[in-house]
Amino acid sequence: MDLEKLFKPKSMCVVGISRKNPLNPGRIIFLKNIYEMQVEVFGIHPDGGEVEGAELYTSLEELPKVPELMVIAIPAEKTLDYVQQCADFNIPGCIIISGGFAEIGGEGIKRQDKLIKIANDNDLAVLGPNCIGVYSPPLLDTIFMPTERITRPPKGTVALISQSGGVLVDQFFHKFNQINIGVSTAVSIGNRAVIDETMLLEYFSKVDKETSNIAFYLEGFKPTRSREFLQLARESEDDIIVYFGGLSENGKKATKSHTASLSGNDKILKAALKQNLIVQPSTELELLTTLKLLDILSRKKKPFDPNTVLHGNVAILSLSGGHGVICADLLKKYGLSAVDITQKEQNEMKRFVNPSARDIATFQNPIDLTGSVQDKDIENIIQYLSQIKRIECIIVLILPYTPSLSFQIGRRIANVVSEYKKPLVCFIPYIQKYGMIIEALELSNIPVFHSIEEAVQGVSVLKKRTRIMKFKGNSSS
Amino acid sequence: MDLEKLFKPKSMCVVGISRKNPLNPGRIIFLKNIYEMQVEVFGIHPDGGEVEGAELYTSLEELPKVPELMVIAIPAEKTLDYVQQCADFNIPGCIIISGGFAEIGGEGIKRQDKLIKIANDNDLAVLGPNCIGVYSPPLLDTIFMPTERITRPPKGTVALISQSGGVLVDQFFHKFNQINIGVSTAVSIGNRAVIDETMLLEYFSKVDKETSNIAFYLEGFKPTRSREFLQLARESEDDIIVYFGGLSENGKKATKSHTASLSGNDKILKAALKQNLIVQPSTELELLTTLKLLDILSRKKKPFDPNTVLHGNVAILSLSGGHGVICADLLKKYGLSAVDITQKEQNEMKRFVNPSARDIATFQNPIDLTGSVQDKDIENIIQYLSQIKRIECIIVLILPYTPSLSFQIGRRIANVVSEYKKPLVCFIPYIQKYGMIIEALELSNIPVFHSIEEAVQGVSVLKKRTRIMKFKGNSSS
């Protein structure tokens, strides 16, 4: 099956376009791709006519050329006829938005079995049914929510594969915009009757050149396919992230009705993912932190060596005692520990700090430079800590309300990181006023987070990645 | 000691104003209170003169009247002279911003002991030293960060008491603006040489009429004072929230250097707080969720009866299967459970949903009305669930990207809640586009959160409150 045509078609046709209802999914997909995306689009309606000035053809035969992809958004009972036409016309790919298959049981299961047979007999790449399809900027977008309702992430290098359309649009699309990372291709697999997560893992890992990290939302592996998935993940040069829903008892009940897949035993699954070098975030927040950090490490301009070994030994640099304490409290939860700083080192650091901060600052770990800190002090201390080998990563907690700190502090921290290449993660409150500082750090690809917990999570991702690189033989560098 | 004069003084004087350095803390406090706050302000400088057009007096004797409060922001060694003057002139309150006391050891400890003696001998209410003081809108603000650097929360009913100035400004002030709740008075206690958390708990609980909830950031109780604190908390009609830093091993090391207080055994502390009806959030996120929920319940216009009993039995109403699953997964972590919905109830609910959603929706808990949902369906189902007694709270997960949902959905949900008074908590993504929906819910005081986890945390706060009310005999209603 030629998956590439699903994601990078030169031309496509849409069936199931309402000429009357502006909220009809087929119509939204048709118009969205004409006016917002680059793929060549043909609309099909048995009665012909037009919608908003765009011509509709009565059938496949009428089209000026055979398209490379068909998007089907008609009631379930009429779907298979069009799928058969794809096979007859040698159209290589087909996305079925329509529901009414295995997820409704009974008749739907039979319909899905027939669908699978047509696809396999004809080597037809079928995505869905019961899905929201594909977002592959700048070419293609079958996600049938009106443009004014959703937020689309920018082009980037994360491939997203989701068993839930809602999770794809909300937990990924919305949040990616907020945390400033982009998508190579996003795929909603729906009932995954034909194309499943394992085939997509193989495609994005081995074929697609635009993808660096591959993230999944799954509520269970497709039956009989987990072994191959795990094997592919282990061998992949990309970072593989799987966020699992439905692992709790309440969640399991929910997934049975929702996607009819079994998620099996939580602990066994967790161990299998870890063994096969898959990162498994356990909360919404950790999912995004993980993706953000891995995305930064896959960019061309890297803030520090992405292959730095990190066992978990960190130094915390704060300007507020309380923030240092809260950060220190979180280390153990994320498998990290605070490096002991010797009395000699403490005395040396003291010399690098301005006189009014010097006597009230503390140089144990967490280091608290206090509200009397100046830009130069932070530069000096980061430089000093960068040269201590047993410190593998520095967490800097910046609170720019302190008057003696300038708004150039972001740029100045970035300069030190670019010189010493020591892994460093920043916390800074998310406030419009601090935008200049945040931007300067982000432009230099320094990981910036807006809660202390995310900053600590970010460092824990570096630790997880050290283990993964060890087994993958640093091939992902 | 007359604590009220610290928070609601009619007049005050500031000592330690630099005439040259615009970033000098005393100067910032002086000018900020003249131009932004309502208290009458006098500045003192031994050489007189003026700053930015505001007159400076050479000494206390020169002032046209004896002020009710003195704010001291001069080097430590000169501090005690001014404290003694407060006593001599019968000024009832004094805030010492300056550091250089017990926190630096040696000489500083002796200085602090002298300070305590002056305060106790003269019944002088001394706040600090080594603190950022008080924010008591619209009267008084001694927080010496320049106005352009920080975000101040609006006037509200939460009293904040923090052992860390940084935590007060960042974790409370910044975030309160984001989550739309306000502050009655905020107090940074610093070294708490004289006035400590226990005295403030008593004041805000028994004297201050503007406060409904009292929240603390502490790194340990002041030695010998914990018993009284716990007793007062137990008897208070207000909700008491304590967020503890420094309970982990790493955190304990940090607090020893930071505030020289011992946090004792984590588990014993946790049990003591629970036993004395204090809410103890365990993360930054949970702290804010807790404060937001308790704040809503203390407002005049209540969305539902704040004394509703909630043992933890919830129904989840979603428009996306994946969101329902993620929400169900979180229930157990927060001590909640999903109510079983009978087949009969499921069949009944089906009738209340539009035909295109009816056959693809699932009515088990979590209920998934799918992307084909319309406003009326959500109204109907919330009405139906509101009448099932064993459902104590409804979690509604709104995803307004689905085209058949209107942006009036916020108002429509609020109307149903106001009719049935069933506790209900919403999740809705935080996107500018959805602002209208969020606003409509917030105006009706429906708790709205922007991650699924916060919504679940919100419900868990209702459960904790049920237990607290039981022991406090519903006195806080």
Side-chain angles (χ1 to χ4, degrees):
Chain A
M1 286 179 193
D2 184 1
L3 298 196
E4 197 164 14
K5 291 291 189 292
L6 285 174
F7 309 125
K8 300 192 189 326
K10 288 198 182 65
S11 57
M12 74 168 190
C13 65
V14 180
V15 297
I17 299 166
S18 166
R19 291 178 304 177
K20 288 174 190 158
N21 175 9
L23 299 182
N24 161 269
R27 177 173 167 143
I28 291 173
I29 295 170
F30 178 54
L31 294 172
K32 186 183 268 193
N33 282 280
I34 290 180
Y35 295 114
E36 298 177 37
M37 309 306 285
Q38 292 177 0
V39 65
E40 188 182 8
V41 190
F42 305 105
I44 294 179
H45 189 289
D47 301 330
E50 57 149 43
V51 283
E52 299 195 16
E55 183 187 0
L56 295 170
Y57 297 87
T58 57
S59 67
L60 258 182
E61 286 91 342
E62 251 201 10
L63 300 187
K65 64 164 85 161
V66 176
E68 295 186 335
L69 173 67
M70 181 186 277
V71 178
I72 304 177
I74 48 171
E77 52 273 18
K78 296 187 195 163
T79 303
L80 296 189
D81 289 346
Y82 279 100
V83 177
Q84 187 58 55
Q85 284 191 43
C86 283
D88 298 344
F89 281 77
N90 279 322
I91 296 175
C94 165
I95 299 173
I96 306 178
I97 305 292
S98 328
F101 289 81
E103 83 280 7
I104 61 161
E107 202 55 42
I109 296 177
K110 286 184 202 159
R111 191 176 288 130
Q112 186 157 317
D113 286 342
K114 283 184 200 160
L115 170 66
I116 295 169
K117 190 168 184 323
I118 302 175
N120 287 336
D121 288 353
N122 295 280
D123 210 27
L124 174 61
V126 173
L127 186 68
N130 188 28
C131 73
I132 60 171
V134 171
Y135 170 60
S136 169
L139 278 178
L140 174 70
D141 183 4
T142 75
I143 294 175
F144 55 83
M145 286 79 196
T147 306
E148 65 273 22
R149 294 279 182 124
I150 64 168
T151 306
R152 287 193 300 207
K155 182 77 180 178
T157 64
V158 183
L160 293 172
I161 292 107
S162 177
Q163 213 179 329
S164 158
V167 170
L168 188 66
V169 170
D170 175 43
Q171 302 285 320
F172 290 106
F173 281 18
H174 289 164
K175 306 278 174 69
F176 270 40
N177 263 300
Q178 285 166 23
I179 64 173
N180 207 12
I181 66 177
V183 165
S184 59
T185 309
V187 189
S188 154
I189 55 177
N191 290 5
R192 54 183 174 182
V194 179
I195 291 172
D196 60 31
E197 65 277 11
T198 305
M199 291 161 79
L200 291 169
L201 172 54
E202 186 168 22
Y203 170 78
F204 285 109
S205 182
K206 294 184 179 170
V207 181
D208 188 74
K209 302 283 179 224
E210 293 178 343
T211 296
S212 303
N213 303 310
I214 310 172
F216 294 82
Y217 171 75
L218 296 177
E219 293 169 358
F221 289 114
K222 189 171 172 180
T224 77
R225 301 283 280 156
S226 57
R227 186 186 293 252
E228 197 181 339
F229 185 96
L230 296 171
Q231 179 73 20
L232 280 164
R234 198 179 165 82
E235 290 163 3
S236 172
E237 290 186 12
D238 298 330
D239 285 311
I240 315 296
I241 303 98
V242 182
Y243 182 51
F244 256 98
L247 296 183
S248 70
E249 209 173 310
N250 285 317
K252 263 178 216 166
K253 276 189 212 164
T255 55
K256 258 182 236 173
S257 63
H258 171 50
T259 47
S261 61
L262 284 166
S263 20
N265 182 301
D266 184 10
K267 278 181 194 162
I268 293 174
L269 183 73
K270 200 171 165 182
L273 294 179
K274 190 173 177 187
Q275 200 183 334
N276 290 285
L277 312 178
I278 295 168
V279 181
Q280 187 196 8
S282 59
T283 63
E284 295 164 85
L285 198 67
E286 199 178 356
L287 169 64
L288 290 167
T289 307
T290 302
L291 290 174
K292 170 142 191 174
L293 210 102
L294 294 176
D295 188 67
I296 285 174
L297 295 184
S298 71
R299 290 178 195 167
K300 267 191 195 146
K301 185 182 164 191
K302 294 177 206 306
F304 40 78
D305 181 359
N307 294 324
T308 317
V309 170
L310 191 133
H311 300 100
N313 303 309
V314 305
I316 299 167
L317 176 57
S318 181
L319 323 180
S320 145
H323 283 73
V325 168
I326 293 173
C327 188
D329 273 340
L330 284 163
L331 294 182
K332 202 178 170 191
K333 177 174 172 186
Y334 290 100
L336 307 174
S337 56
V339 173
D340 276 325
I341 296 182
T342 65
Q343 193 56 52
K344 181 166 165 275
E345 287 162 343
Q346 294 183 36
N347 294 342
E348 280 178 358
M349 275 192 273
K350 209 167 179 171
R351 294 203 332 254
F352 290 119
V353 167
N354 84 76
S356 54
R358 189 176 294 157
D359 292 326
I360 50 174
T362 51
F363 296 92
Q364 292 167 47
N365 195 1
I367 297 163
D368 171 17
L369 296 182
T370 79
S372 299
V373 70
Q374 294 171 7
D375 293 12
K376 187 69 191 153
D377 304 333
I378 296 181
E379 262 186 17
N380 286 343
I381 298 300
I382 295 178
Q383 275 175 353
Y384 186 87
L385 296 173
S386 297
Q387 295 170 71
I388 300 179
K389 275 212 173 155
R390 62 187 197 285
I391 296 174
E392 297 168 327
C393 183
I394 306 168
I395 301 177
V396 184
L397 310 171
I398 312 173
L399 294 159
Y401 53 64
T402 165
S404 48
L405 214 60
S406 97
F407 274 31
Q408 291 165 336
I409 187 64
R411 190 64 246 153
R412 294 180 74 160
I413 290 175
N415 289 342
V416 181
V417 176
S418 105
E419 188 184 346
Y420 288 88
K421 301 284 176 201
K422 178 74 90 179
L424 182 146
V425 170
C426 278
F427 156 82
I428 177 168
Y430 189 66
I431 298 185
Q432 220 180 355
K433 294 178 182 189
Y434 303 160
M436 277 183 60
I437 305 175
I438 297 172
E439 258 176 47
L441 291 163
E442 295 234 326
L443 278 175
S444 303
N445 289 326
I446 310 272
V448 184
F449 298 99
H450 307 301
S451 72
I452 302 172
E453 182 145 12
E454 286 163 276
V456 176
Q457 280 176 351
V459 179
S460 79
V461 176
L462 289 175
K463 182 181 169 183
K464 285 180 195 168
R465 204 162 178 280
T466 295
R467 182 181 159 272
I468 291 172
M469 286 186 309
K470 188 178 137 199
F471 287 104
K472 286 192 178 174
N474 279 16
S475 57
S476 60
S477 63
Chain B
M1 285 178 195
D2 184 1
L3 298 196
E4 196 163 16
K5 291 292 191 291
L6 284 175
F7 310 126
K8 302 193 188 325
K10 288 198 183 65
S11 57
M12 73 169 191
C13 65
V14 181
V15 297
I17 300 167
S18 166
R19 293 180 303 177
K20 288 176 190 157
N21 175 9
L23 300 181
N24 162 268
R27 177 173 167 143
I28 292 173
I29 295 170
F30 178 55
L31 294 171
K32 186 183 267 193
N33 282 281
I34 290 180
Y35 295 115
E36 299 176 36
M37 310 306 285
Q38 291 177 2
V39 64
E40 186 181 9
V41 191
F42 306 104
I44 295 179
H45 189 288
D47 301 332
E50 57 149 45
V51 283
E52 299 195 15
E55 183 187 359
L56 295 170
Y57 297 87
T58 57
S59 67
L60 259 180
E61 285 91 342
E62 253 202 9
L63 300 187
K65 65 164 86 164
V66 176
E68 296 186 334
L69 173 67
M70 180 186 280
V71 179
I72 304 177
I74 46 171
E77 53 275 17
K78 297 186 194 162
T79 302
L80 295 189
D81 289 346
Y82 279 99
V83 177
Q84 187 58 53
Q85 285 191 42
C86 283
D88 298 344
F89 281 77
N90 278 322
I91 295 175
C94 165
I95 299 174
I96 306 178
I97 306 293
S98 328
F101 290 80
E103 83 280 7
I104 60 160
E107 202 55 42
I109 296 176
K110 286 185 201 158
R111 191 176 290 132
Q112 186 157 319
D113 287 342
K114 284 182 198 160
L115 169 66
I116 295 169
K117 190 167 184 326
I118 302 174
N120 288 336
D121 288 353
N122 296 280
D123 211 26
L124 174 61
V126 173
L127 185 68
N130 187 29
C131 73
I132 61 171
V134 171
Y135 170 61
S136 169
L139 278 178
L140 175 68
D141 183 4
T142 74
I143 295 177
F144 54 83
M145 286 80 195
T147 305
E148 67 273 21
R149 294 280 181 124
I150 63 167
T151 306
R152 287 193 301 207
K155 182 78 181 179
T157 64
V158 183
L160 293 173
I161 293 108
S162 177
Q163 212 178 330
S164 158
V167 170
L168 188 67
V169 170
D170 175 43
Q171 302 284 320
F172 291 106
F173 281 17
H174 289 163
K175 306 279 173 66
F176 270 38
N177 263 299
Q178 286 165 24
I179 64 174
N180 207 12
I181 66 177
V183 165
S184 60
T185 309
V187 189
S188 155
I189 54 178
N191 290 5
R192 53 185 174 182
V194 179
I195 291 173
D196 59 33
E197 64 276 11
T198 304
M199 291 161 79
L200 291 169
L201 171 55
E202 185 167 22
Y203 171 78
F204 286 109
S205 182
K206 296 186 179 169
V207 181
D208 188 73
K209 302 286 179 222
E210 292 178 341
T211 295
S212 303
N213 304 311
I214 310 172
F216 294 83
Y217 171 76
L218 295 178
E219 294 169 357
F221 290 114
K222 188 172 173 180
T224 77
R225 300 284 280 157
S226 57
R227 185 185 294 251
E228 196 182 339
F229 185 96
L230 295 171
Q231 180 72 20
L232 280 164
R234 198 180 165 83
E235 289 163 3
S236 173
E237 290 187 12
D238 299 328
D239 286 311
I240 315 295
I241 303 100
V242 182
Y243 181 52
F244 256 99
L247 295 184
S248 70
E249 209 172 311
N250 285 317
K252 263 179 215 165
K253 275 189 213 162
T255 54
K256 257 181 238 170
S257 64
H258 172 50
T259 46
S261 60
L262 283 167
S263 21
N265 182 300
D266 184 9
K267 279 181 193 161
I268 293 174
L269 183 72
K270 200 172 166 181
L273 294 179
K274 190 173 176 189
Q275 201 184 333
N276 290 284
L277 311 177
I278 295 167
V279 182
Q280 187 196 8
S282 60
T283 63
E284 293 164 86
L285 198 66
E286 200 177 356
L287 169 65
L288 290 167
T289 307
T290 302
L291 291 174
K292 170 146 190 169
L293 211 101
L294 294 176
D295 188 66
I296 285 174
L297 294 183
S298 72
R299 291 178 194 167
K300 266 190 197 146
K301 185 180 163 192
K302 293 177 206 306
F304 41 77
D305 181 358
N307 293 325
T308 317
V309 169
L310 192 133
H311 300 100
N313 303 308
V314 305
I316 300 166
L317 176 56
S318 181
L319 324 180
S320 146
H323 284 73
V325 168
I326 293 173
C327 188
D329 273 340
L330 284 164
L331 293 182
K332 201 178 169 190
K333 176 174 172 185
Y334 290 100
L336 308 174
S337 56
V339 172
D340 277 324
I341 296 182
T342 66
Q343 193 57 53
K344 180 166 168 277
E345 288 162 343
Q346 293 184 35
N347 295 342
E348 281 178 358
M349 273 192 274
K350 209 167 178 169
R351 295 204 330 256
F352 291 119
V353 168
N354 85 78
S356 55
R358 189 176 293 158
D359 293 327
I360 49 173
T362 51
F363 296 92
Q364 292 166 47
N365 195 359
I367 298 164
D368 172 18
L369 296 182
T370 79
S372 299
V373 70
Q374 294 170 8
D375 292 14
K376 187 68 192 154
D377 305 334
I378 296 181
E379 262 185 18
N380 286 342
I381 298 300
I382 295 178
Q383 273 176 354
Y384 186 87
L385 297 172
S386 296
Q387 295 169 71
I388 299 177
K389 274 212 174 156
R390 61 186 198 285
I391 295 173
E392 298 168 328
C393 182
I394 307 169
I395 303 177
V396 183
L397 311 171
I398 311 174
L399 294 159
Y401 53 64
T402 167
S404 49
L405 215 60
S406 96
F407 273 31
Q408 291 165 338
I409 187 62
R411 191 63 245 152
R412 293 180 75 161
I413 291 175
N415 289 343
V416 182
V417 175
S418 105
E419 189 185 346
Y420 288 87
K421 301 283 176 201
K422 179 74 91 177
L424 183 146
V425 170
C426 278
F427 156 82
I428 177 168
Y430 189 68
I431 298 187
Q432 221 180 353
K433 294 180 181 188
Y434 303 159
M436 276 183 59
I437 307 175
I438 298 171
E439 258 175 46
L441 290 162
E442 296 233 326
L443 277 175
S444 302
N445 290 327
I446 310 272
V448 184
F449 297 100
H450 306 302
S451 73
I452 303 172
E453 182 145 10
E454 285 162 277
V456 176
Q457 280 175 353
V459 179
S460 79
V461 175
L462 289 175
K463 182 181 169 181
K464 284 181 195 168
R465 205 163 178 280
T466 295
R467 182 181 160 272
I468 290 172
M469 286 185 309
K470 189 178 136 198
F471 286 105
K472 287 191 178 175
N474 281 19
S475 56
S476 59
S477 62

